[in-house]
Amino acid sequence: MVERVIKSIDQDWKFKQAGVDASKFLPVSQFPTNVHLDLLHHKLIPDPFIGKNESDVQWIGEKDWIYKTTFALPRSKARKCVLAFDGLDTYATVVLNGKEILKTENMFVPERVDVTDVVKEEDNDLVITFASTYLIGKKLVEKHPEHFWGCWNGDPSRLAVRKAQYHYGWDWGPALLTCGPWKQINFELYDTRISDLYIHTEVTIDDFVSSAKIVANANIEGEGSDIEFELSFEGRTVKVENVKVERGFATTTFQVQDPQLWYPASYGKQALYVLKTTLYSGKYRDDSNSKRFGLRKVKVVQKDLTDASGTSFYFEINDIPVFCGGSNWIPADSFLPRISREKYQKWVKLVRDGNQIMIRVWAGGVFEDENFYDACDEMGILVWQDFMFGCGNYPAYEEFLDSIKREASENVRLLRHHPSIVIWAGNNEDYQYRESENLDYDPKDTDPQNWLKSNFPARYIYEKILVDVTKELVPDTYYHFGSPFGGKDTRDATVGDIHQWNVWHGSQEKYQNFDKLGGRFVSEFGMEGFPNIKTIDSYLPQGKEDPDRYPQSSTVDFHNKADGHERRMALYLVENIQYEFVPFEQFVYCTQLMQAECLASAYRLWKREWKGPGKEYCAGALVWQFNDCWPVTSWSIVDYYLRPKHAYYAVKRELAPITIGLKRTVTTTPADKYTRAYTKTVHNIEMWASNLSLERHLMNVYFKAWDVITGKETYSKSLHSGFILEPNRSMEITQFEVPVKKKDAEEELRTVVAAYLVENGKQVARYINWPEPLKYVHLQKPKDLKVKLSEGADALEITAEVPVKGVSIEAEDDSVVFADNCVDVVPGETVRIEVTGLDHGEERNLVVRHLGS
């Protein structure tokens, strides 16, 4: 017996267009790769991210492409040689030494091919031809006229192919139909190997002690005789078990008392164990494998609520109910092979640093790279994992279902050890699409064969295939049929999750009314905002000198894929703030401020509904979306170049462990039933506090007010000297009218108010509330707005003599990083923003903006 050898086939790759005599083989730009990256590397196409070049590269997706290399095998006495393809995009024919060894039709399925009888020691010719997925999809649609082919976003033919759906274009991304070896290709030499290593954990927690049962399982290919299972934690061996292999399988159970548990960020440590397995044949070592995993107890709780219809939908981690503030994640690039491990780490760190604890891997992208999930494991980010079906009516003919079964099984096996993944969901908005087209769906019909005969056959995928796969492979992880799903339809806010798009889309409600638009778990909502001006300059062909460098230019519009974005952006801007198109930088700022105000309102008002046991009326809010796949105006809160928009900081403030909230309402009523000329107007303030920590806090509550025009403090009062803020919930504090000296004189419309929580002399929460809409407020241009760098050069200190809305600090150098931004400033206070990368004197180069500047 010999030990397994794994070697990457990543050298000397070349590519060319198929069927074109003039096309010559050229070296690839990197490996793994795709055709756009390689053409771009050789300057054979313009950069699709710049200007309108996307339109000029559409031909690529309608052509076939060839990749080839030559490799040699090391000398080995192994009896078996396998080529392992981690991912081929998408329709590929693989030929080794002149013999066809593989045909693929699914981007998401890894393939293994025994090539023992084909491979040579030297000069092995490996050729992969990638056919046009777009053309194949079109032909599949023609082949199946019985199916109702319909979707939102992209061409309906995308539904017929198992390729990342966003490659067909979405309302935030370009249509760039890639192909190529997008993941690693290895050859393996062995006699026997560990074909799968998987772990089942069971955590028990009571008042005094916790314990964990860890069942380790290994599937063996070949004739290995013994397995050593080694459990370790932080480099120290915990336990070792030696087990005989019986009929290709070995298992053992570890009992661990007082284990280190894995928690989401801010709730505890991210303890990670390692299970290493070594396979032996007698005394000879054959193979080894390891998995890193966490011990945690996860439950999705759906139960009756106090004083509310429907049921809860909240996550309980290690017996702790968790409010899941977070985001939706799309692929971070249109060209996936160029996302490095370091970039994944930076992205997930931004999530964690933004006080978010959940990320939803959206269904129109990909099962993400292991580096993404590793980062989530390490940083305590809970993952809501979709299967890859989005916004359409997918077919269910036999070959398609067979491919999906493999796809689901392979990817669940690959990812099931990650403690961060706490839910699997069948699709994104496919049930909503069904409702919009009035396709067949009878919830009382439980016969899967009937579903296949309907005009919504994809129900069979979500309620049969994926149910079976998750039940077999991850029985302890909750499976949700789709997102949104629950209740009488997908709009039912009282059961399951909802996507709340009646701000921006739908009925285009005012974002100040998000409290009327909530649900048990809001897994999508959002508002667009322009990206950083440096990001805009990056895609304009002439940068800062480009003639299209203005908000309504055709190039800037081209980099916004949302249908009707002009009308929607204009609506929410004109409803809320005074803005101008010139200078462009100030307009960009205004869109980001508006987005920040919108999203902050949603998180603040929905978190208010997390009211404790039996009152989990809203248990999560995931903004659409965290990131971008190219430089674009979209709903993201961080743009393609990892530059946070102002909304990122607003969300970060609202998701802090302890916050205070205010809501101002204005009610006008007739003096009596016989008049409309004489009315009474009441400006009311509601105040509450949210505590996402697990400790009780004793707070002093303060309230102040200022005249927005004069800057004079008009009110200051201590409301509570010992308000008990119970753990893990929001609590109402008080309500009262806006304090003014003279009522019925519209003083309320010029009164800015602030609330504070102070514990042991330290301010732990602050919120400034303004009359709305902000466009009516007579904001003053401050004459004494100061931004000073602290003595230790670790913070900016901001003061002003009048209330200032949304003070923004901008630096040309991306190495200057702010911990907060777009902050409200009131007289008599110093707002401190932590900063890195700035030296004394350099603060003079910062650009300061605010509403009205």
Side-chain angles (χ1 to χ4, degrees):
M1 291 288 192
V2 296
E3 188 168 357
R4 180 163 70 140
V5 173
I6 303 175
K7 187 173 180 182
S8 176
I9 305 176
D10 58 4
Q11 299 297 313
D12 301 322
W13 282 93
K14 297 178 175 63
F15 82 106
K16 62 169 279 189
Q17 184 178 340
V20 177
D21 292 339
S23 180
K24 305 298 182 184
F25 277 105
L26 296 170
V28 299
S29 58
Q30 62 178 72
F31 199 88
T33 189
N34 70 33
V35 66
H36 289 76
L37 291 175
D38 297 330
L39 291 168
L40 195 57
H41 175 71
H42 289 281
K43 297 183 172 56
L44 295 174
I45 59 170
D47 188 336
F49 286 8
I50 293 178
K52 303 173 187 176
N53 291 340
E54 174 199 348
S55 301
D56 297 330
V57 299
Q58 292 305 304
W59 62 273
I60 298 169
E62 298 178 16
K63 305 299 180 183
D64 297 348
W65 298 89
I66 301 173
Y67 281 78
K68 74 172 185 177
T69 191
T70 301
F71 66 93
L73 295 182
R75 292 189 177 183
S76 172
K77 296 180 180 179
R79 294 195 294 258
K80 194 166 190 177
C81 181
V82 165
L83 286 187
F85 303 87
D86 289 351
L88 298 175
D89 175 14
T90 294
Y91 285 88
T93 301
V94 184
V95 174
L96 178 62
N97 296 331
K99 180 179 180 180
E100 182 181 305
I101 61 169
L102 176 67
K103 291 183 81 73
T104 70
E105 58 182 20
N106 191 318
M107 176 180 178
F108 307 119
V109 175
E111 301 281 359
R112 295 178 60 84
V113 185
D114 186 343
V115 294
T116 308
D117 296 333
V118 184
V119 76
K120 304 179 295 185
E121 283 192 8
E122 301 289 340
D123 299 328
N124 289 285
D125 294 319
L126 181 61
V127 181
I128 309 175
T129 302
F130 292 91
S132 167
T133 300
Y134 178 77
L135 296 181
I136 289 173
K138 285 291 192 182
K139 292 174 183 176
L140 285 169
V141 170
E142 292 176 352
K143 185 179 177 182
H144 295 277
E146 74 284 356
H147 181 65
F148 177 82
W149 297 95
C151 65
W152 298 323
N153 293 295
D155 189 272
S157 65
R158 70 175 174 81
L159 304 171
V161 297
R162 297 311 297 148
K163 175 175 176 59
Q165 301 287 270
Y166 82 108
H167 284 166
Y168 281 78
W170 222 265
D171 54 8
W172 38 257
L176 293 168
L177 284 163
T178 60
C179 72
W182 75 290
K183 286 192 173 184
Q184 198 64 50
I185 300 175
N186 298 320
F187 69 73
E188 302 178 15
L189 298 168
Y190 61 91
D191 291 335
T192 182
R193 72 179 183 110
I194 302 166
S195 59
D196 193 14
L197 172 62
Y198 55 104
I199 304 148
H200 174 77
T201 64
E202 185 178 316
V203 175
T204 302
I205 303 171
D206 61 30
D207 293 336
F208 304 104
V209 68
S210 61
S211 63
K213 177 182 176 182
I214 303 168
V215 180
N217 305 286
N219 292 335
I220 311 302
E221 176 190 339
E223 300 176 357
S225 60
D226 299 272
I227 282 269
E228 178 185 88
F229 292 97
E230 179 187 5
L231 179 68
S232 63
F233 179 73
E234 294 183 344
R236 300 186 305 273
T237 299
V238 177
K239 289 187 178 182
V240 177
E241 295 286 347
N242 291 284
V243 180
K244 287 289 184 183
V245 176
E246 296 182 8
R247 290 192 285 272
F249 179 72
T251 185
T252 193
T253 299
F254 297 101
Q255 297 286 350
V256 181
Q257 292 300 312
D258 294 320
Q260 299 293 316
L261 300 183
W262 185 93
Y263 287 89
S266 78
Y267 287 87
K269 295 181 179 179
Q270 288 72 59
L272 294 168
Y273 287 80
V274 173
L275 179 68
K276 181 180 179 182
T277 56
T278 306
L279 175 64
Y280 295 91
S281 292
K283 63 180 181 179
Y284 296 104
R285 174 179 165 136
D286 295 317
D287 193 14
S288 63
N289 197 348
S290 64
K291 298 282 187 184
R292 192 176 64 168
F293 68 101
L295 296 172
R296 85 285 189 271
K297 185 179 177 183
V298 178
K299 189 177 180 183
V300 176
V301 181
Q302 300 180 79
K303 64 181 182 181
D304 292 341
L305 293 159
T306 303
D307 301 327
S309 59
T311 54
S312 64
F313 192 96
Y314 68 87
F315 290 82
E316 196 174 77
I317 313 295
N318 299 331
D319 293 344
I320 301 170
V322 172
F323 182 88
C324 291
S327 294
N328 284 266
W329 171 268
I330 65 169
D333 205 313
S334 291
F335 305 137
L336 293 161
R338 69 178 173 189
I339 309 175
S340 66
R341 179 181 181 277
E342 291 71 26
K343 183 164 279 191
Y344 277 119
Q345 288 278 333
K346 289 179 180 179
W347 275 116
V348 177
K349 186 176 184 296
L350 274 170
V351 175
R352 184 199 62 191
D353 291 350
N355 290 324
Q356 301 189 28
I357 66 165
M358 178 172 272
I359 198 93
R360 174 176 171 241
V361 178
W362 169 75
V366 295
F367 299 99
E368 271 297 348
D369 190 271
E370 283 281 354
N371 289 313
F372 172 84
Y373 300 103
D374 284 345
C376 290
D377 292 346
E378 293 161 7
M379 299 187 206
I381 304 302
L382 302 174
V383 174
W384 173 311
Q385 178 66 53
D386 282 355
F387 286 96
M388 297 298 119
F389 306 91
C391 296
N393 184 35
Y394 286 84
Y397 46 86
E398 187 175 359
E399 313 93 89
F400 192 75
L401 295 182
D402 289 343
S403 182
I404 286 167
K405 288 175 188 174
R406 281 197 67 203
E407 171 191 322
S409 297
E410 292 287 353
N411 284 282
V412 172
R413 284 192 181 95
L414 282 170
L415 299 177
R416 59 182 168 179
H417 63 285
H418 289 286
S420 53
I421 300 177
V422 294
I423 183 174
W424 290 82
N427 65 80
N428 174 77
E429 296 183 356
D430 290 2
Y431 287 98
Q432 273 193 328
Y433 182 81
R434 181 207 68 77
E435 291 169 359
S436 74
E437 297 294 334
N438 198 28
L439 301 178
D440 300 336
Y441 190 84
D442 180 1
K444 297 178 181 177
D445 184 355
T446 58
D447 185 351
Q449 294 305 311
N450 289 340
W451 308 341
L452 289 171
K453 300 170 188 174
S454 74
N455 59 10
F456 181 57
R459 181 182 181 184
Y460 187 89
I461 300 171
Y462 315 136
E463 299 183 31
K464 173 60 176 168
I465 290 177
L466 300 181
V467 168
D468 291 345
V469 168
T470 54
K471 190 173 183 179
E472 176 190 355
L473 299 177
V474 282
D476 296 329
T477 303
Y478 179 73
Y479 171 72
H480 198 46
F481 286 165
S483 182
F485 191 87
K488 61 182 181 294
D489 57 33
T490 59
R491 297 178 298 276
D492 189 341
T494 68
V495 180
D497 69 316
I498 63 166
H499 291 184
Q500 183 47 270
W501 281 110
N502 282 319
V503 171
W504 183 270
H505 291 301
S507 54
Q508 298 180 343
E509 303 289 333
K510 295 179 184 296
Y511 60 69
Q512 290 85 353
N513 297 331
F514 263 127
D515 51 348
K516 301 173 184 176
L517 303 171
R520 299 294 173 248
F521 196 106
V522 186
S523 47
E524 277 191 25
F525 69 100
M527 174 59 66
E528 279 204 352
F530 271 60
N532 191 294
I533 191 67
K534 291 180 287 187
T535 298
I536 296 171
D537 290 341
S538 78
Y539 71 66
L540 292 171
Q542 298 178 45
K544 292 182 179 180
E545 306 305 317
D546 199 284
D548 263 8
R549 195 180 187 267
Y550 63 93
Q552 295 169 297
S553 74
S554 63
T555 305
V556 171
D557 269 359
F558 188 85
H559 283 254
N560 188 335
K561 299 298 187 179
D563 186 38
H565 64 86
E566 304 94 338
R567 297 189 301 276
R568 290 173 169 86
M569 182 77 79
L571 169 67
Y572 283 99
L573 281 171
V574 80
E575 272 192 346
N576 288 287
I577 62 176
Q578 299 179 45
Y579 68 97
E580 296 178 358
F581 288 119
V582 179
F584 194 5
E585 290 83 351
Q586 185 68 14
F587 177 78
V588 169
Y589 162 84
C590 288
T591 71
Q592 289 198 13
L593 174 65
M594 183 268 292
Q595 181 192 32
E597 290 290 293
C598 171
L599 301 187
S601 174
Y603 281 103
R604 186 183 316 119
L605 294 170
W606 290 338
K607 198 170 67 165
R608 184 184 186 182
E609 297 304 305
W610 177 253
K611 292 181 178 290
K615 298 181 180 180
E616 302 90 351
Y617 305 127
C618 181
L622 308 179
V623 69
W624 185 271
Q625 65 216 58
F626 191 77
N627 61 320
D628 284 322
C629 68
W630 75 316
V632 64
T633 297
S634 76
W635 298 272
S636 73
I637 61 174
V638 181
D639 74 28
Y640 173 73
Y641 293 107
L642 291 97
R643 294 169 178 146
K645 300 180 186 178
H646 291 325
Y648 171 83
Y649 301 105
V651 171
K652 177 180 179 178
R653 291 192 291 269
E654 293 301 335
L655 289 178
I658 297 175
T659 58
I660 190 164
L662 299 173
K663 180 176 172 66
R664 187 186 303 219
T665 57
V666 181
T667 306
T668 300
T669 55
D672 59 55
K673 65 181 180 179
Y674 299 107
T675 183
R676 65 178 181 180
Y678 302 98
T679 60
K680 179 182 179 182
T681 299
V682 176
H683 297 256
N684 198 50
I685 292 281
E686 300 169 15
M687 181 188 297
W688 68 94
S690 298
N691 177 13
L692 297 184
S693 79
L694 303 181
E695 294 82 36
R696 174 188 288 186
H697 292 271
L698 191 64
M699 296 292 184
N700 292 336
V701 184
Y702 297 96
F703 185 82
K704 292 183 178 183
W706 294 263
D707 187 306
V708 74
I709 295 175
T710 67
K712 184 178 179 181
E713 185 179 291
T714 58
Y715 188 87
S716 180
K717 186 176 182 180
S718 171
L719 300 183
H720 286 279
S721 59
F723 182 79
I724 298 174
L725 187 52
E726 298 290 349
N728 205 7
R729 72 196 67 187
S730 296
M731 297 180 66
E732 302 298 311
I733 298 176
T734 188
Q735 58 178 317
F736 49 85
E737 293 186 33
V738 175
V740 292
K741 292 183 177 179
K742 187 177 180 181
K743 291 190 176 184
D744 301 321
E746 296 191 342
E747 288 185 15
E748 297 90 346
L749 301 181
R750 55 190 283 175
T751 300
V752 177
V753 299
Y756 308 84
L757 294 178
V758 176
E759 184 178 35
N760 298 324
K762 181 182 179 181
Q763 179 180 297
V764 295
R766 165 188 184 263
Y767 175 61
I768 311 295
N769 177 275
W770 302 71
E772 291 194 90
L774 288 166
K775 65 180 180 180
Y776 292 160
V777 181
H778 295 163
L779 296 167
Q780 302 299 296
K781 291 187 184 297
K783 298 177 182 178
D784 196 24
L785 176 61
K786 295 179 180 177
V787 179
K788 292 174 56 181
L789 187 62
S790 66
E791 187 175 337
D794 60 350
L796 295 171
E797 297 169 344
I798 308 171
T799 58
E801 85 286 3
V802 293
V804 187
K805 178 66 187 175
V807 177
S808 160
I809 314 296
E810 301 170 12
E812 183 65 27
D813 188 347
D814 283 340
S815 67
V816 178
V817 177
F818 304 105
D820 200 0
N821 216 325
C822 200
V823 294
D824 295 346
V825 180
V826 290
E829 293 185 18
T830 299
V831 177
R832 183 180 170 89
I833 295 178
E834 293 180 7
V835 64
T836 57
L838 206 59
D839 291 328
H840 283 288
E842 293 179 340
E843 68 268 29
R844 291 191 293 270
N845 299 324
L846 299 174
V847 176
V848 180
R849 302 185 193 281
H850 56 82
L851 187 58
S853 64

